[in-house]
PDB file of all heavy atoms in Angstrom:
ATOM      1  N   ILE U   1     185.007  70.132 -37.780  1.00 98.00           N
ATOM      2  CA  ILE U   1     185.557  69.217 -38.786  1.00 98.00           C
ATOM      3  C   ILE U   1     187.061  69.432 -38.927  1.00 98.00           C
ATOM      4  O   ILE U   1     187.851  68.477 -38.919  1.00 98.00           O
ATOM      5  CB  ILE U   1     184.845  69.411 -40.141  1.00 98.00           C
ATOM      6  CG1 ILE U   1     183.405  68.914 -40.056  1.00 98.00           C
ATOM      7  CG2 ILE U   1     185.597  68.671 -41.261  1.00 98.00           C
ATOM      8  CD1 ILE U   1     182.547  69.302 -41.250  1.00 98.00           C
ATOM      9  N   ASP U   2     187.477  70.685 -39.048  1.00 97.00           N
ATOM     10  CA  ASP U   2     188.904  70.989 -39.192  1.00 97.00           C
ATOM     11  C   ASP U   2     189.679  70.565 -37.953  1.00 97.00           C
ATOM     12  O   ASP U   2     190.798  70.044 -38.059  1.00 97.00           O
ATOM     13  CB  ASP U   2     189.110  72.486 -39.443  1.00 97.00           C
ATOM     14  CG  ASP U   2     188.655  72.917 -40.827  1.00 97.00           C
ATOM     15  OD1 ASP U   2     188.450  72.033 -41.689  1.00 97.00           O
ATOM     16  OD2 ASP U   2     188.503  74.131 -41.048  1.00 97.00           O
ATOM     17  N   TYR U   3     189.082  70.779 -36.788  1.00 97.00           N
ATOM     18  CA  TYR U   3     189.752  70.400 -35.547  1.00 97.00           C
ATOM     19  C   TYR U   3     189.969  68.884 -35.487  1.00 97.00           C
ATOM     20  O   TYR U   3     191.082  68.417 -35.201  1.00 97.00           O
ATOM     21  CB  TYR U   3     188.939  70.864 -34.328  1.00 97.00           C
ATOM     22  CG  TYR U   3     189.602  70.478 -33.031  1.00 97.00           C
ATOM     23  CD1 TYR U   3     190.471  71.349 -32.397  1.00 97.00           C
ATOM     24  CD2 TYR U   3     189.385  69.221 -32.462  1.00 97.00           C
ATOM     25  CE1 TYR U   3     191.112  70.981 -31.226  1.00 97.00           C
ATOM     26  CE2 TYR U   3     190.028  68.847 -31.296  1.00 97.00           C
ATOM     27  CZ  TYR U   3     190.888  69.731 -30.683  1.00 97.00           C
ATOM     28  OH  TYR U   3     191.538  69.346 -29.534  1.00 97.00           O
ATOM     29  N   VAL U   4     188.914  68.118 -35.727  1.00 97.00           N
ATOM     30  CA  VAL U   4     189.038  66.651 -35.643  1.00 97.00           C
ATOM     31  C   VAL U   4     190.044  66.138 -36.667  1.00 97.00           C
ATOM     32  O   VAL U   4     190.858  65.257 -36.368  1.00 97.00           O
ATOM     33  CB  VAL U   4     187.660  65.978 -35.839  1.00 97.00           C
ATOM     34  CG1 VAL U   4     187.803  64.470 -35.919  1.00 97.00           C
ATOM     35  CG2 VAL U   4     186.720  66.356 -34.695  1.00 97.00           C
ATOM     36  N   LYS U   5     190.026  66.699 -37.857  1.00 95.00           N
ATOM     37  CA  LYS U   5     190.962  66.262 -38.894  1.00 95.00           C
ATOM     38  C   LYS U   5     192.408  66.609 -38.550  1.00 95.00           C
ATOM     39  O   LYS U   5     193.339  66.002 -39.067  1.00 95.00           O
ATOM     40  CB  LYS U   5     190.566  66.867 -40.235  1.00 95.00           C
ATOM     41  CG  LYS U   5     189.307  66.236 -40.826  1.00 95.00           C
ATOM     42  CD  LYS U   5     188.974  66.786 -42.197  1.00 95.00           C
ATOM     43  CE  LYS U   5     187.773  66.064 -42.795  1.00 95.00           C
ATOM     44  NZ  LYS U   5     187.411  66.602 -44.134  1.00 95.00           N
ATOM     45  N   SER U   6     192.590  67.583 -37.654  1.00 95.00           N
ATOM     46  CA  SER U   6     193.946  67.934 -37.223  1.00 95.00           C
ATOM     47  C   SER U   6     194.523  66.894 -36.268  1.00 95.00           C
ATOM     48  O   SER U   6     195.708  66.935 -35.936  1.00 95.00           O
ATOM     49  CB  SER U   6     193.939  69.308 -36.538  1.00 95.00           C
ATOM     50  OG  SER U   6     193.392  69.225 -35.224  1.00 95.00           O
ATOM     51  N   GLU U   7     193.658  65.985 -35.806  1.00 94.00           N
ATOM     52  CA  GLU U   7     194.030  64.880 -34.922  1.00 94.00           C
ATOM     53  C   GLU U   7     194.450  65.343 -33.530  1.00 94.00           C
ATOM     54  O   GLU U   7     195.144  64.627 -32.814  1.00 94.00           O
ATOM     55  CB  GLU U   7     195.093  63.983 -35.552  1.00 94.00           C
ATOM     56  CG  GLU U   7     194.611  63.310 -36.830  1.00 94.00           C
ATOM     57  CD  GLU U   7     195.581  62.272 -37.359  1.00 94.00           C
ATOM     58  OE1 GLU U   7     196.603  62.019 -36.690  1.00 94.00           O
ATOM     59  OE2 GLU U   7     195.319  61.709 -38.440  1.00 94.00           O
ATOM     60  N   LYS U   8     193.979  66.514 -33.129  1.00 96.00           N
ATOM     61  CA  LYS U   8     194.155  66.922 -31.732  1.00 96.00           C
ATOM     62  C   LYS U   8     193.078  66.247 -30.888  1.00 96.00           C
ATOM     63  O   LYS U   8     192.068  65.782 -31.415  1.00 96.00           O
ATOM     64  CB  LYS U   8     194.071  68.447 -31.623  1.00 96.00           C
ATOM     65  CG  LYS U   8     195.240  69.179 -32.255  1.00 96.00           C
ATOM     66  CD  LYS U   8     195.252  70.655 -31.900  1.00 96.00           C
ATOM     67  CE  LYS U   8     194.108  71.414 -32.542  1.00 96.00           C
ATOM     68  NZ  LYS U   8     194.171  72.879 -32.239  1.00 96.00           N
ATOM     69  N   PRO U   9     193.254  66.168 -29.578  1.00 97.00           N
ATOM     70  CA  PRO U   9     192.314  65.412 -28.718  1.00 97.00           C
ATOM     71  C   PRO U   9     190.893  65.970 -28.759  1.00 97.00           C
ATOM     72  O   PRO U   9     190.669  67.161 -28.549  1.00 97.00           O
ATOM     73  CB  PRO U   9     192.922  65.563 -27.323  1.00 97.00           C
ATOM     74  CG  PRO U   9     194.376  65.818 -27.579  1.00 97.00           C
ATOM     75  CD  PRO U   9     194.425  66.640 -28.813  1.00 97.00           C
ATOM     76  N   PHE U  10     189.944  65.070 -28.994  1.00 98.00           N
ATOM     77  CA  PHE U  10     188.533  65.426 -29.118  1.00 98.00           C
ATOM     78  C   PHE U  10     187.692  64.389 -28.399  1.00 98.00           C
ATOM     79  O   PHE U  10     187.949  63.182 -28.497  1.00 98.00           O
ATOM     80  CB  PHE U  10     188.130  65.471 -30.591  1.00 98.00           C
ATOM     81  CG  PHE U  10     186.655  65.689 -30.826  1.00 98.00           C
ATOM     82  CD1 PHE U  10     186.133  66.964 -30.973  1.00 98.00           C
ATOM     83  CD2 PHE U  10     185.770  64.606 -30.890  1.00 98.00           C
ATOM     84  CE1 PHE U  10     184.772  67.169 -31.176  1.00 98.00           C
ATOM     85  CE2 PHE U  10     184.407  64.795 -31.092  1.00 98.00           C
ATOM     86  CZ  PHE U  10     183.917  66.080 -31.238  1.00 98.00           C
ATOM     87  N   LEU U  11     186.662  64.856 -27.680  1.00 98.00           N
ATOM     88  CA  LEU U  11     185.707  63.959 -27.030  1.00 98.00           C
ATOM     89  C   LEU U  11     184.289  64.400 -27.365  1.00 98.00           C
ATOM     90  O   LEU U  11     183.900  65.528 -27.063  1.00 98.00           O
ATOM     91  CB  LEU U  11     185.900  63.963 -25.510  1.00 98.00           C
ATOM     92  CG  LEU U  11     184.883  63.141 -24.702  1.00 98.00           C
ATOM     93  CD1 LEU U  11     185.001  61.656 -25.016  1.00 98.00           C
ATOM     94  CD2 LEU U  11     185.059  63.386 -23.195  1.00 98.00           C
ATOM     95  N   GLY U  12     183.517  63.520 -27.982  1.00 98.00           N
ATOM     96  CA  GLY U  12     182.107  63.755 -28.232  1.00 98.00           C
ATOM     97  C   GLY U  12     181.273  63.014 -27.208  1.00 98.00           C
ATOM     98  O   GLY U  12     181.594  61.862 -26.862  1.00 98.00           O
ATOM     99  N   ILE U  13     180.223  63.653 -26.703  1.00 97.00           N
ATOM    100  CA  ILE U  13     179.363  63.043 -25.684  1.00 97.00           C
ATOM    101  C   ILE U  13     177.938  62.968 -26.193  1.00 97.00           C
ATOM    102  O   ILE U  13     177.345  63.989 -26.567  1.00 97.00           O
ATOM    103  CB  ILE U  13     179.418  63.849 -24.367  1.00 97.00           C
ATOM    104  CG1 ILE U  13     180.828  63.812 -23.768  1.00 97.00           C
ATOM    105  CG2 ILE U  13     178.399  63.300 -23.360  1.00 97.00           C
ATOM    106  CD1 ILE U  13     180.990  64.676 -22.527  1.00 97.00           C
ATOM    107  N   CYS U  14     177.361  61.756 -26.206  1.00 96.00           N
ATOM    108  CA  CYS U  14     175.978  61.488 -26.596  1.00 96.00           C
ATOM    109  C   CYS U  14     175.718  61.990 -28.021  1.00 96.00           C
ATOM    110  O   CYS U  14     176.234  61.417 -28.970  1.00 96.00           O
ATOM    111  CB  CYS U  14     175.006  62.081 -25.583  1.00 96.00           C
ATOM    112  SG  CYS U  14     173.314  61.444 -25.740  1.00 96.00           S
ATOM    113  N   LEU U  15     174.940  63.048 -28.180  1.00 96.00           N
ATOM    114  CA  LEU U  15     174.714  63.597 -29.512  1.00 96.00           C
ATOM    115  C   LEU U  15     176.022  64.035 -30.146  1.00 96.00           C
ATOM    116  O   LEU U  15     176.164  64.040 -31.374  1.00 96.00           O
ATOM    117  CB  LEU U  15     173.733  64.768 -29.426  1.00 96.00           C
ATOM    118  CG  LEU U  15     173.173  65.316 -30.742  1.00 96.00           C
ATOM    119  CD1 LEU U  15     172.463  64.230 -31.536  1.00 96.00           C
ATOM    120  CD2 LEU U  15     172.223  66.476 -30.462  1.00 96.00           C
ATOM    121  N   GLY U  16     176.999  64.382 -29.311  1.00 96.00           N
ATOM    122  CA  GLY U  16     178.323  64.739 -29.817  1.00 96.00           C
ATOM    123  C   GLY U  16     179.022  63.602 -30.514  1.00 96.00           C
ATOM    124  O   GLY U  16     179.911  63.825 -31.347  1.00 96.00           O
ATOM    125  N   LEU U  17     178.672  62.363 -30.203  1.00 98.00           N
ATOM    126  CA  LEU U  17     179.140  61.206 -30.963  1.00 98.00           C
ATOM    127  C   LEU U  17     178.362  61.099 -32.273  1.00 98.00           C
ATOM    128  O   LEU U  17     178.952  60.965 -33.350  1.00 98.00           O
ATOM    129  CB  LEU U  17     178.966  59.924 -30.151  1.00 98.00           C
ATOM    130  CG  LEU U  17     179.210  58.595 -30.884  1.00 98.00           C
ATOM    131  CD1 LEU U  17     179.902  57.589 -29.987  1.00 98.00           C
ATOM    132  CD2 LEU U  17     177.901  57.978 -31.402  1.00 98.00           C
ATOM    133  N   GLN U  18     177.055  61.183 -32.199  1.00 98.00           N
ATOM    134  CA  GLN U  18     176.218  60.972 -33.378  1.00 98.00           C
ATOM    135  C   GLN U  18     176.506  61.983 -34.484  1.00 98.00           C
ATOM    136  O   GLN U  18     176.476  61.648 -35.672  1.00 98.00           O
ATOM    137  CB  GLN U  18     174.748  61.036 -32.977  1.00 98.00           C
ATOM    138  CG  GLN U  18     174.332  59.943 -32.004  1.00 98.00           C
ATOM    139  CD  GLN U  18     172.858  60.000 -31.643  1.00 98.00           C
ATOM    140  OE1 GLN U  18     172.117  60.842 -32.135  1.00 98.00           O
ATOM    141  NE2 GLN U  18     172.425  59.091 -30.785  1.00 98.00           N
ATOM    142  N   LEU U  19     176.805  63.221 -34.099  1.00 98.00           N
ATOM    143  CA  LEU U  19     177.030  64.282 -35.086  1.00 98.00           C
ATOM    144  C   LEU U  19     178.270  64.045 -35.942  1.00 98.00           C
ATOM    145  O   LEU U  19     178.390  64.619 -37.030  1.00 98.00           O
ATOM    146  CB  LEU U  19     177.158  65.631 -34.371  1.00 98.00           C
ATOM    147  CG  LEU U  19     175.894  66.147 -33.687  1.00 98.00           C
ATOM    148  CD1 LEU U  19     176.238  67.302 -32.755  1.00 98.00           C
ATOM    149  CD2 LEU U  19     174.858  66.592 -34.716  1.00 98.00           C
ATOM    150  N   LEU U  20     179.177  63.201 -35.488  1.00 98.00           N
ATOM    151  CA  LEU U  20     180.397  62.936 -36.241  1.00 98.00           C
ATOM    152  C   LEU U  20     180.146  62.127 -37.504  1.00 98.00           C
ATOM    153  O   LEU U  20     181.003  62.075 -38.392  1.00 98.00           O
ATOM    154  CB  LEU U  20     181.405  62.174 -35.370  1.00 98.00           C
ATOM    155  CG  LEU U  20     181.906  62.880 -34.106  1.00 98.00           C
ATOM    156  CD1 LEU U  20     182.810  61.948 -33.321  1.00 98.00           C
ATOM    157  CD2 LEU U  20     182.635  64.172 -34.458  1.00 98.00           C
ATOM    158  N   PHE U  21     178.951  61.520 -37.611  1.00 98.00           N
ATOM    159  CA  PHE U  21     178.684  60.591 -38.701  1.00 98.00           C
ATOM    160  C   PHE U  21     177.859  61.215 -39.828  1.00 98.00           C
ATOM    161  O   PHE U  21     177.519  62.394 -39.780  1.00 98.00           O
ATOM    162  CB  PHE U  21     178.058  59.318 -38.128  1.00 98.00           C
ATOM    163  CG  PHE U  21     179.062  58.526 -37.344  1.00 98.00           C
ATOM    164  CD1 PHE U  21     179.361  58.853 -36.025  1.00 98.00           C
ATOM    165  CD2 PHE U  21     179.761  57.499 -37.944  1.00 98.00           C
ATOM    166  CE1 PHE U  21     180.320  58.158 -35.317  1.00 98.00           C
ATOM    167  CE2 PHE U  21     180.731  56.786 -37.242  1.00 98.00           C
ATOM    168  CZ  PHE U  21     181.009  57.122 -35.929  1.00 98.00           C
ATOM    169  N   ASP U  22     177.586  60.420 -40.858  1.00 98.00           N
ATOM    170  CA  ASP U  22     177.012  60.946 -42.098  1.00 98.00           C
ATOM    171  C   ASP U  22     175.636  61.582 -41.928  1.00 98.00           C
ATOM    172  O   ASP U  22     175.393  62.680 -42.399  1.00 98.00           O
ATOM    173  CB  ASP U  22     176.914  59.831 -43.157  1.00 98.00           C
ATOM    174  CG  ASP U  22     178.272  59.415 -43.672  1.00 98.00           C
ATOM    175  OD1 ASP U  22     179.128  60.304 -43.860  1.00 98.00           O
ATOM    176  OD2 ASP U  22     178.481  58.208 -43.896  1.00 98.00           O
ATOM    177  N   PHE U  23     174.735  60.846 -41.269  1.00 97.00           N
ATOM    178  CA  PHE U  23     173.379  61.371 -41.119  1.00 97.00           C
ATOM    179  C   PHE U  23     172.641  60.642 -40.005  1.00 97.00           C
ATOM    180  O   PHE U  23     173.065  59.590 -39.532  1.00 97.00           O
ATOM    181  CB  PHE U  23     172.588  61.253 -42.430  1.00 97.00           C
ATOM    182  CG  PHE U  23     172.223  59.841 -42.817  1.00 97.00           C
ATOM    183  CD1 PHE U  23     171.021  59.277 -42.407  1.00 97.00           C
ATOM    184  CD2 PHE U  23     173.074  59.068 -43.602  1.00 97.00           C
ATOM    185  CE1 PHE U  23     170.672  57.984 -42.760  1.00 97.00           C
ATOM    186  CE2 PHE U  23     172.730  57.767 -43.962  1.00 97.00           C
ATOM    187  CZ  PHE U  23     171.531  57.229 -43.541  1.00 97.00           C
ATOM    188  N   SER U  24     171.517  61.237 -39.604  1.00 97.00           N
ATOM    189  CA  SER U  24     170.643  60.625 -38.613  1.00 97.00           C
ATOM    190  C   SER U  24     169.238  60.491 -39.185  1.00 97.00           C
ATOM    191  O   SER U  24     168.805  61.333 -39.979  1.00 97.00           O
ATOM    192  CB  SER U  24     170.599  61.479 -37.343  1.00 97.00           C
ATOM    193  OG  SER U  24     169.638  60.972 -36.426  1.00 97.00           O
ATOM    194  N   GLU U  25     168.542  59.461 -38.744  1.00 96.00           N
ATOM    195  CA  GLU U  25     167.138  59.286 -39.117  1.00 96.00           C
ATOM    196  C   GLU U  25     166.216  60.193 -38.318  1.00 96.00           C
ATOM    197  O   GLU U  25     165.038  60.332 -38.668  1.00 96.00           O
ATOM    198  CB  GLU U  25     166.717  57.833 -38.880  1.00 96.00           C
ATOM    199  CG  GLU U  25     167.391  56.826 -39.795  1.00 96.00           C
ATOM    200  CD  GLU U  25     166.925  55.409 -39.532  1.00 96.00           C
ATOM    201  OE1 GLU U  25     166.356  55.147 -38.447  1.00 96.00           O
ATOM    202  OE2 GLU U  25     167.134  54.561 -40.413  1.00 96.00           O
ATOM    203  N   GLU U  26     166.749  60.841 -37.282  1.00 94.00           N
ATOM    204  CA  GLU U  26     165.920  61.709 -36.456  1.00 94.00           C
ATOM    205  C   GLU U  26     165.454  62.917 -37.267  1.00 94.00           C
ATOM    206  O   GLU U  26     166.258  63.646 -37.841  1.00 94.00           O
ATOM    207  CB  GLU U  26     166.701  62.180 -35.228  1.00 94.00           C
ATOM    208  CG  GLU U  26     165.860  62.977 -34.250  1.00 94.00           C
ATOM    209  CD  GLU U  26     166.622  63.359 -32.998  1.00 94.00           C
ATOM    210  OE1 GLU U  26     167.824  63.054 -32.906  1.00 94.00           O
ATOM    211  OE2 GLU U  26     165.998  63.962 -32.106  1.00 94.00           O
ATOM    212  N   GLY U  27     164.134  63.110 -37.316  1.00 86.00           N
ATOM    213  CA  GLY U  27     163.604  64.230 -38.089  1.00 86.00           C
ATOM    214  C   GLY U  27     163.600  63.972 -39.584  1.00 86.00           C
ATOM    215  O   GLY U  27     163.623  64.900 -40.389  1.00 86.00           O
ATOM    216  N   GLY U  28     163.584  62.693 -39.960  1.00 87.00           N
ATOM    217  CA  GLY U  28     163.633  62.329 -41.380  1.00 87.00           C
ATOM    218  C   GLY U  28     165.015  61.813 -41.698  1.00 87.00           C
ATOM    219  O   GLY U  28     165.408  60.742 -41.272  1.00 87.00           O
ATOM    220  N   LYS U  29     165.773  62.588 -42.433  1.00 92.00           N
ATOM    221  CA  LYS U  29     167.172  62.283 -42.700  1.00 92.00           C
ATOM    222  C   LYS U  29     167.927  63.602 -42.652  1.00 92.00           C
ATOM    223  O   LYS U  29     167.744  64.461 -43.505  1.00 92.00           O
ATOM    224  CB  LYS U  29     167.363  61.607 -44.051  1.00 92.00           C
ATOM    225  CG  LYS U  29     168.817  61.276 -44.357  1.00 92.00           C
ATOM    226  CD  LYS U  29     168.981  60.603 -45.710  1.00 92.00           C
ATOM    227  CE  LYS U  29     170.453  60.355 -46.014  1.00 92.00           C
ATOM    228  NZ  LYS U  29     170.659  59.743 -47.352  1.00 92.00           N
ATOM    229  N   VAL U  30     168.766  63.752 -41.657  1.00 96.00           N
ATOM    230  CA  VAL U  30     169.487  65.001 -41.442  1.00 96.00           C
ATOM    231  C   VAL U  30     170.985  64.732 -41.554  1.00 96.00           C
ATOM    232  O   VAL U  30     171.519  63.858 -40.877  1.00 96.00           O
ATOM    233  CB  VAL U  30     169.179  65.599 -40.058  1.00 96.00           C
ATOM    234  CG1 VAL U  30     169.934  66.907 -39.858  1.00 96.00           C
ATOM    235  CG2 VAL U  30     167.679  65.814 -39.896  1.00 96.00           C
ATOM    236  N   ASP U  31     171.646  65.479 -42.413  1.00 97.00           N
ATOM    237  CA  ASP U  31     173.080  65.306 -42.590  1.00 97.00           C
ATOM    238  C   ASP U  31     173.842  65.755 -41.355  1.00 97.00           C
ATOM    239  O   ASP U  31     173.526  66.778 -40.737  1.00 97.00           O
ATOM    240  CB  ASP U  31     173.579  66.110 -43.795  1.00 97.00           C
ATOM    241  CG  ASP U  31     173.121  65.532 -45.118  1.00 97.00           C
ATOM    242  OD1 ASP U  31     172.808  64.320 -45.152  1.00 97.00           O
ATOM    243  OD2 ASP U  31     173.085  66.270 -46.119  1.00 97.00           O
ATOM    244  N   GLY U  32     174.873  64.977 -40.997  1.00 98.00           N
ATOM    245  CA  GLY U  32     175.742  65.325 -39.889  1.00 98.00           C
ATOM    246  C   GLY U  32     177.037  65.933 -40.374  1.00 98.00           C
ATOM    247  O   GLY U  32     177.114  66.453 -41.499  1.00 98.00           O
ATOM    248  N   LEU U  33     178.064  65.852 -39.561  1.00 98.00           N
ATOM    249  CA  LEU U  33     179.354  66.418 -39.921  1.00 98.00           C
ATOM    250  C   LEU U  33     180.092  65.567 -40.941  1.00 98.00           C
ATOM    251  O   LEU U  33     180.975  66.058 -41.640  1.00 98.00           O
ATOM    252  CB  LEU U  33     180.217  66.605 -38.665  1.00 98.00           C
ATOM    253  CG  LEU U  33     179.659  67.591 -37.626  1.00 98.00           C
ATOM    254  CD1 LEU U  33     180.500  67.540 -36.349  1.00 98.00           C
ATOM    255  CD2 LEU U  33     179.611  69.006 -38.181  1.00 98.00           C
ATOM    256  N   GLY U  34     179.755  64.296 -41.023  1.00 98.00           N
ATOM    257  CA  GLY U  34     180.330  63.424 -42.052  1.00 98.00           C
ATOM    258  C   GLY U  34     181.814  63.150 -41.894  1.00 98.00           C
ATOM    259  O   GLY U  34     182.492  62.837 -42.870  1.00 98.00           O
ATOM    260  N   ILE U  35     182.324  63.213 -40.683  1.00 98.00           N
ATOM    261  CA  ILE U  35     183.741  62.926 -40.453  1.00 98.00           C
ATOM    262  C   ILE U  35     184.001  61.432 -40.564  1.00 98.00           C
ATOM    263  O   ILE U  35     185.041  61.006 -41.073  1.00 98.00           O
ATOM    264  CB  ILE U  35     184.169  63.460 -39.079  1.00 98.00           C
ATOM    265  CG1 ILE U  35     184.032  64.995 -39.056  1.00 98.00           C
ATOM    266  CG2 ILE U  35     185.596  63.046 -38.738  1.00 98.00           C
ATOM    267  CD1 ILE U  35     184.205  65.610 -37.687  1.00 98.00           C
ATOM    268  N   PHE U  36     183.044  60.626 -40.104  1.00 98.00           N
ATOM    269  CA  PHE U  36     183.130  59.176 -40.207  1.00 98.00           C
ATOM    270  C   PHE U  36     181.905  58.635 -40.941  1.00 98.00           C
ATOM    271  O   PHE U  36     180.845  59.266 -40.940  1.00 98.00           O
ATOM    272  CB  PHE U  36     183.220  58.532 -38.818  1.00 98.00           C
ATOM    273  CG  PHE U  36     184.407  58.969 -38.014  1.00 98.00           C
ATOM    274  CD1 PHE U  36     184.244  59.679 -36.835  1.00 98.00           C
ATOM    275  CD2 PHE U  36     185.692  58.685 -38.434  1.00 98.00           C
ATOM    276  CE1 PHE U  36     185.326  60.090 -36.078  1.00 98.00           C
ATOM    277  CE2 PHE U  36     186.796  59.092 -37.696  1.00 98.00           C
ATOM    278  CZ  PHE U  36     186.614  59.799 -36.517  1.00 98.00           C
ATOM    279  N   LYS U  37     182.059  57.466 -41.533  1.00 97.00           N
ATOM    280  CA  LYS U  37     180.979  56.831 -42.271  1.00 97.00           C
ATOM    281  C   LYS U  37     180.060  56.063 -41.330  1.00 97.00           C
ATOM    282  O   LYS U  37     180.520  55.310 -40.480  1.00 97.00           O
ATOM    283  CB  LYS U  37     181.541  55.874 -43.334  1.00 97.00           C
ATOM    284  CG  LYS U  37     182.312  56.571 -44.446  1.00 97.00           C
ATOM    285  CD  LYS U  37     181.384  57.411 -45.296  1.00 97.00           C
ATOM    286  CE  LYS U  37     182.125  58.062 -46.457  1.00 97.00           C
ATOM    287  NZ  LYS U  37     181.237  58.970 -47.226  1.00 97.00           N
ATOM    288  N   GLY U  38     178.753  56.291 -41.500  1.00 96.00           N
ATOM    289  CA  GLY U  38     177.791  55.564 -40.689  1.00 96.00           C
ATOM    290  C   GLY U  38     176.527  56.371 -40.491  1.00 96.00           C
ATOM    291  O   GLY U  38     176.520  57.595 -40.675  1.00 96.00           O
ATOM    292  N   ALA U  39     175.452  55.685 -40.146  1.00 97.00           N
ATOM    293  CA  ALA U  39     174.148  56.316 -39.951  1.00 97.00           C
ATOM    294  C   ALA U  39     173.700  56.154 -38.505  1.00 97.00           C
ATOM    295  O   ALA U  39     174.014  55.154 -37.842  1.00 97.00           O
ATOM    296  CB  ALA U  39     173.124  55.694 -40.888  1.00 97.00           C
ATOM    297  N   ILE U  40     172.954  57.135 -38.031  1.00 98.00           N
ATOM    298  CA  ILE U  40     172.356  57.098 -36.701  1.00 98.00           C
ATOM    299  C   ILE U  40     170.895  56.696 -36.878  1.00 98.00           C
ATOM    300  O   ILE U  40     170.129  57.413 -37.518  1.00 98.00           O
ATOM    301  CB  ILE U  40     172.459  58.462 -36.002  1.00 98.00           C
ATOM    302  CG1 ILE U  40     173.900  58.977 -36.038  1.00 98.00           C
ATOM    303  CG2 ILE U  40     171.927  58.367 -34.586  1.00 98.00           C
ATOM    304  CD1 ILE U  40     174.921  58.048 -35.419  1.00 98.00           C
TER     305      ILE U  40
END
């Protein structure tokens, strides 16, 4: 979270994209990193 907020270069791949958002429906409702708004 601190790294992404520093605006240095970051690349998320597959689940690495999904984790950036608020939560996922996988496994019920699991909170993510919450860097961006949105649900998986």
